[in-house]
Amino acid sequence: MGPDAIPLSKPDISQLEQTLVRDVLASGRLAIGPMQEEFERLVAARAGCAHGVAVSSGTAGLHILMQALGIGLGDEVVTTPLSFIASANPIVYVGARPVFADIDPRTLNLDPAKLEQAISPRTKAIIGVEAFGNPAHMDEYARIAAKYEIPLIEDSCEALGASHKGRRCGSFGRAGVFGFYPNKQITTGEGGMIVTDDSNLAAICRSLRNQGRDEFPDSASEQQRLGSWLAHGRIGFNYRMSEVAAAIGVGQMQRFDRMMEQRERIARLYIERLSGIGSLILPTIDPESTMTWFVFVVRLTTDYTAEERDRVIMGLRTHDVGSAAYFPCIHLQPPYRERFGFKPGDFPIAESVSNRTIALPFYNSLTEREIDLIAQTLEVMISRESITRG
Ligand SMILES: *Cc1c(COP(=O)(O)O)cnc(C)c1O
């Protein structure tokens, strides 16, 4: 890909974020400060949750939740095989066993019936993921979690601002997690946030992100706070978010509605331009969901092989259109095969979908002309495969 290529994603940073960052730098307060609190308030409100706990990444947020919920050795956590690897790795961090269930081929999320079949007496939690930002089934996962009296953790790293049946993503389970890497709906460079209505859980998460220090009520004196800086009630982590990162996040949240309108417009243009290509399956839009779009992922019909899909992606890149195979199945990544014995064929629907996905460029400043160009290039690359096949 050349310097004028259309990238797969691009952060949308305005003058506002730059000003807020400059203010933080000038203030001299670079960690544990007012920006983090403001960012927590803005994101929690957007998710319809009482508490937000800013952390250093979405992965760190999931790790903290595993720890806070007491999940460990001998426990099982059920999740989806079709996701970014970070939605399952935190299960392994705490010594528990990831148990996958196959997906619904329409929504690309965990199939609720298969999720329920995968639950055993050792299951201690469900991690539900909104794959590519699609919130379908999250209410069903919550119902299943309640039935078996286990917590649902919502990995909403791809779904900030989305909702399903009138309910905000992040608010379906005991806790939700957002990620703010530069390719997500909003970014802080690196960062994440836990959201929850459970004030006890929020307090434990605040402590765990901050080296296991106790949290104080707002009424605590400066003396009490100082005295306990070196008092650690539990083994925690340093998973804090810096004030610089939080300042970027505050600016992004202030522009959130406008940015999501742009994403919606781009998604609609894509659907319009791509719906005429016969070999493509477009994302299913559930009338009961609103999406904020993470990336735009289409897939080839089942008559295409993984090799043909790979050549289409390479062809797009050669023609300066960013593209990737989002996502290879987690259970087939080498450490999961080696440690847990997963193999091809274990989750046939997820594997079949994963072999045919094509992620297309998606970012707020993408123009209509660029979308036309992407659609045309994609169509040429696909017909090249059909022709060489004979
Ligand atoms: C991005 C992402 C994560 C991890 O977020 P980071 O901030 O990159 O650690 C976890 N789960 C899913 C589904 C993601 O897309």
Side-chain angles (χ1 to χ4, degrees):
M1 299 212 334
D4 296 327
I6 304 171
L8 195 52
S9 75
K10 187 153 76 174
D12 177 353
I13 300 296
S14 75
Q15 201 59 48
L16 176 61
E17 287 86 338
Q18 298 189 31
T19 305
L20 289 165
V21 165
R22 223 176 288 126
D23 291 350
V24 163
L25 293 175
S27 78
R29 181 132 189 203
L30 301 187
I32 317 183
M35 276 298 174
Q36 171 175 278
E37 280 174 30
E38 176 66 1
F39 185 46
E40 287 176 341
R41 204 184 56 70
L42 290 168
V43 174
R46 183 59 66 168
C49 290
H51 309 281
V53 181
V55 288
S56 52
S57 70
T59 311
L62 290 167
H63 187 189
I64 283 179
L65 283 172
M66 292 285 106
Q67 191 86 9
L69 295 170
I71 294 161
L73 223 56
D75 296 337
E76 293 178 356
V77 178
V78 184
T79 190
T80 175
L82 189 76
S83 180
F84 183 51
I85 195 166
S87 60
N89 278 349
I91 302 166
V92 184
Y93 296 165
V94 296
R97 187 181 178 82
V99 173
F100 298 103
D102 214 341
I103 60 164
D104 175 328
R106 224 175 48 87
T107 61
L108 310 189
N109 287 337
L110 259 181
D111 180 326
K114 290 177 181 156
L115 157 63
E116 189 162 3
Q117 283 161 18
I119 290 175
S120 85
R122 288 179 302 279
T123 308
K124 290 289 152 50
I126 297 166
I127 297 181
V129 183
E130 285 112 358
F132 312 128
N134 186 339
H137 313 302
M138 212 35 92
D139 56 327
E140 296 168 87
Y141 306 159
R143 245 195 324 275
I144 294 166
K147 177 173 166 188
Y148 292 89
E149 300 185 9
I150 52 174
L152 167 66
I153 294 171
E154 195 180 346
D155 178 349
S156 299
C157 285
E158 301 176 2
L160 178 63
S163 66
H164 183 58
K165 298 182 182 168
R167 195 152 171 189
R168 309 281 180 90
C169 290
S171 75
F172 282 92
R174 272 287 290 285
V177 177
F178 297 111
F180 309 122
Y181 187 73
N183 68 347
K184 312 279 170 154
Q185 277 88 343
I186 69 155
T187 187
T188 56
E190 296 281 4
M193 188 156 331
I194 299 163
V195 291
T196 183
D197 280 333
D198 180 335
S199 47
N200 279 328
L201 182 62
I204 295 168
C205 291
R206 284 178 204 282
S207 172
L208 283 171
R209 83 171 161 191
N210 189 19
Q211 306 286 16
R213 293 180 176 107
D214 289 328
E215 279 294 307
F216 290 98
D218 289 341
S219 58
S221 68
E222 202 58 27
Q223 193 66 34
Q224 279 174 304
R225 288 170 201 270
L226 273 177
S228 59
W229 183 248
L230 296 177
H232 307 271
R234 51 173 66 81
I235 299 290
F237 310 98
N238 177 0
Y239 281 167
R240 295 183 303 257
M241 171 178 276
S242 83
E243 284 290 279
V244 175
I248 304 173
V250 167
Q252 297 264 287
M253 287 310 289
Q254 287 176 3
R255 301 169 50 230
F256 193 79
D257 287 328
R258 176 88 192 86
M259 296 204 308
M260 296 313 121
E261 277 167 25
Q262 286 171 303
R263 296 178 89 79
E264 182 58 35
R265 188 186 62 89
I266 292 160
R268 267 202 306 265
L269 282 171
Y270 260 131
I271 290 168
E272 212 177 280
R273 298 299 195 278
L274 298 176
S275 54
I277 306 178
S279 310
L280 275 189
I281 302 170
L282 299 188
T284 313
I285 316 267
D286 178 340
E288 293 190 286
S289 298
T290 61
M291 302 262 297
T292 49
W293 300 96
F294 164 53
V295 282
F296 199 84
V297 176
V298 297
R299 60 191 198 274
L300 295 167
T301 43
T302 48
D303 48 323
Y304 286 85
T305 65
E307 292 69 33
E308 288 170 328
R309 184 276 314 268
D310 290 345
R311 278 198 299 269
V312 170
I313 289 178
M314 282 318 297
L316 286 167
R317 290 193 193 166
T318 307
H319 289 81
D320 282 346
V321 173
S323 180
Y326 280 10
F327 285 109
C329 285
I330 300 174
H331 70 283
L332 297 180
Q333 298 282 0
Y336 282 81
R337 289 194 195 205
E338 285 156 25
R339 213 190 283 201
F340 304 105
F342 293 116
K343 55 187 188 318
D346 284 347
F347 307 102
I349 301 173
E351 291 167 28
S352 161
V353 166
S354 162
N355 284 337
R356 292 176 289 111
T357 54
I358 301 170
L360 298 175
F362 202 96
Y363 49 88
N364 304 350
S365 59
L366 202 58
T367 65
E368 191 163 352
R369 277 193 50 178
E370 286 169 326
I371 293 170
D372 282 338
L373 182 76
I374 294 163
Q376 284 160 15
T377 313
L378 179 60
E379 187 161 22
V380 171
M381 292 308 136
I382 294 173
S383 39
R384 194 177 66 176
E385 288 309 314
S386 338
I387 289 162
T388 51
R389 211 198 255 165

